[in-house]
Amino acid sequence: VWNSTGKLNKWGKKDTLNLPFFDDFVTTKFYPDSSKWFNNYVFVNNDFPINPPSYGVATFDDLNAKGAPYNGLDGNSFGACDTLLSLAINLRDSSGKLFRIADSIYFSFYFQRQGLGDPSDSKDSLLLQFKDSTGKFNTVWKAIGGSLAPFQFAILGITQTKYLFKGFQFRFINFSRHTGNMNQWHVDYIHLARKRSALKNYYTDFAIQNRPNSLLKNYFQMPYSHFLADASAQTIDSIYFNASNLDKSIWNLEARHIESHNGNTLVSTNFIANAANVPAKGFAKRRFPVYDYKGLTGDPVIIKREYFLRDPSVTTANTLNDKLTVYQEFNSCYAYDDGTAEYGFGYDDDVVDPFYKGAVAYKFNLTKADTLWGIGMFFNRSVKSSAAITFDLKVWQSISPTGSGRSKDVLVYTMPNLKPVF
């Protein structure tokens, strides 16, 4: 399905890349960059990892490119799940000669178990494989599942000539029980290049580590008219994000942000006004004062939020992770969550009692009277299938506190016998 001629393939791009190879997953969302990767099974995101090297990682789980389980949620079966396969890479020099072992070609990356997702089991694993000149993929590195840990750095050299050819590829694969959106691994900052050293476990680089917090104190999103109805109580205390330092030395990093609405600047800060030290191989929170975002017009109201990092005394090789653009949306709904299922819950359906039923209520404190038009929820595809389970959707005006009697609950609407839709 691929060749190593360097000609354009059926996707209209070259399928043989030259060194160096690098990706920190900051340039794409949801799917890997197709100019570097052959497939799109992993989930590119910044929601599941904890303190990644830079914004964006590749998350490995048991969901395919469309978010469906690979094996129908069968926890009794075990096998390969997500795969991240590179395009073909040319391990020859500019004259067409093979590189040598003495060229010191090293492959490195950062990885993390679990993150904000589900912990991996002791039987789980994450593998790195290299393709040799015969077309065989060989396992060259392996990590075993376990408890949550910070991102770890891994580096290994290409020490066998069977990998030094035009058409070399590598791939990551995770092995797990087939339980869907569980047992996550996160990979970041993948780097393959010449003239490297196994002793150098740091980079002259800094990065924005995560998205800035919501401009709302209690919700990720709410209608703008509802925000204005109680703006003082709904406005955050400060704006912040994390900056990471991948170097072995402390860096004094400057940060700024520009936030705008319909092309009109709402706030623009200066680099020099926000400077602070970030520890070596660590991270630090960068804060900005809150600005006034009342009095805006539109339906929805969308604020463009641009964030920047720099050290004016240093030029890094990777500048794409020094800036980030996100959007704050005031739309038609109240939402606590950002839309990514880092956590989930379910009821124990193994209870023998056939009349056993579970119930949950989710409370939203509206700031003004309005009309409820719809309710959205996400059925997390994990552990067991919920496709055939029926449920009743209910809306309460109020619910009495636990122990005070259900007779005081005010139920205003019910939609019975619904089923999940994926």
Side-chain angles (χ1 to χ4, degrees), residues 334-349:
Y334 277 78
Y336 291 105
D337 192 69
D338 61 5
T340 304
E342 295 93 347
Y343 292 91
F345 73 92
Y347 295 107
D348 186 357
D349 58 0

Side-chain angles (χ1 to χ4, degrees), residues 45 47-50 59-61 112-120 146-148 181-186 340-344 380:
N45 72 100
D47 301 285
F48 281 102
I50 297 177
T59 293
F60 293 73
D61 51 30
Q112 182 182 57
R113 301 177 182 87
Q114 182 179 348
L116 289 176
D118 183 72
S120 53
S147 59
L148 173 65
N181 188 22
M182 298 182 71
N183 304 347
Q184 284 94 347
W185 298 83
H186 315 291
T340 304
E342 295 93 347
Y343 292 91
N380 197 13

Side-chain angles (χ1 to χ4, degrees), residues 150-405:
F151 270 88
Q152 301 174 57
F153 181 74
I155 185 167
L156 57 154
I158 294 185
T159 58
Q160 299 182 61
T161 56
K162 64 182 179 180
Y163 300 123
L164 300 178
F165 68 101
K166 187 175 183 180
F168 168 81
Q169 288 178 287
F170 65 88
R171 68 185 181 188
F172 288 92
I173 308 175
N174 71 308
F175 286 80
S176 174
R177 289 186 301 124
H178 291 297
T179 51
N181 188 22
M182 298 182 71
N183 304 347
Q184 284 94 347
W185 298 83
H186 315 291
V187 175
D188 195 12
Y189 225 85
I190 299 172
H191 184 203
L192 174 65
R194 300 170 59 212
K195 298 180 180 179
R196 300 183 64 193
S197 169
L199 301 178
K200 187 176 181 180
N201 59 357
Y202 60 92
Y203 285 92
T204 305
D205 192 23
F206 51 82
I208 294 177
Q209 195 173 59
N210 59 356
R211 67 173 290 147
N213 58 320
S214 171
L215 295 177
L216 297 169
K217 179 182 291 185
N218 301 311
Y219 300 100
F220 186 81
Q221 184 182 132
M222 69 187 301
Y224 191 67
S225 61
H226 287 243
F227 164 71
L228 294 178
D230 192 17
S232 60
Q234 301 299 327
T235 300
I236 54 173
D237 300 320
S238 66
I239 298 170
Y240 58 86
F241 71 93
N242 284 347
S244 68
N245 176 8
L246 281 70
D247 200 18
K248 63 178 181 179
S249 302
I250 297 174
W251 279 19
N252 186 264
L253 298 181
E254 299 176 353
R256 70 170 299 206
H257 72 138
I258 303 172
E259 311 220 4
S260 59
H261 171 254
N262 288 340
N264 299 313
T265 300
L266 303 176
V267 64
S268 178
T269 56
N270 296 318
F271 276 117
I272 197 169
N274 193 322
N277 287 335
V278 179
K281 297 182 180 180
F283 63 92
K285 197 174 293 295
R286 311 310 304 272
R287 291 188 180 274
F288 301 90
V290 177
Y291 64 94
D292 185 6
Y293 41 94
K294 300 187 293 294
L296 306 180
T297 59
D299 185 19
V301 170
I302 299 176
I303 297 176
K304 182 179 181 180
R305 311 179 66 190
E306 301 171 274
Y307 286 75
F308 308 87
L309 272 181
R310 78 171 187 182
D311 183 331
S313 65
V314 177
T315 300
T316 64
N318 181 25
T319 59
L320 293 177
N321 57 23
D322 302 345
K323 53 191 175 184
L324 177 67
T325 300
V326 296
Y327 295 88
Q328 176 76 44
E329 187 171 341
F330 294 85
N331 211 324
S332 59
C333 70
Y334 277 78
Y336 291 105
D337 192 69
D338 61 5
T340 304
E342 295 93 347
Y343 292 91
F345 73 92
Y347 295 107
D348 186 357
D349 58 0
D350 294 326
V351 176
V352 177
D353 184 354
F355 299 103
Y356 177 84
K357 294 182 179 180
V360 62
Y362 213 37
K363 183 178 181 179
F364 296 89
N365 293 303
L366 273 65
T367 61
K368 57 178 288 188
D370 211 324
T371 302
L372 180 64
W373 291 94
I375 297 172
M377 66 187 75
F378 179 74
F379 288 88
N380 197 13
R381 305 182 87 161
S382 61
V383 188
K384 296 181 180 180
S385 175
S386 57
I389 297 176
T390 60
F391 64 96
D392 298 341
L393 187 61
K394 298 183 178 183
V395 180
W396 290 272
Q397 178 179 316
S398 62
I399 297 178
S400 58
T402 302
S404 61

Side-chain angles (χ1 to χ4, degrees), residues 106-165:
Y106 277 86
F107 185 98
S108 65
F109 57 96
Y110 291 84
F111 72 99
Q112 182 182 57
R113 301 177 182 87
Q114 182 179 348
L116 289 176
D118 183 72
S120 53
D121 299 332
S122 58
K123 189 179 177 182
D124 295 345
S125 60
L126 177 69
L127 274 61
L128 170 64
Q129 297 181 331
F130 289 168
K131 188 181 80 171
D132 63 29
S133 54
T134 69
K136 178 183 177 182
F137 278 93
N138 305 293
T139 298
V140 295
W141 176 91
K142 180 178 180 179
I144 303 300
S147 59
L148 173 65
F151 270 88
Q152 301 174 57
F153 181 74
I155 185 167
L156 57 154
I158 294 185
T159 58
Q160 299 182 61
T161 56
K162 64 182 179 180
Y163 300 123
L164 300 178
F165 68 101

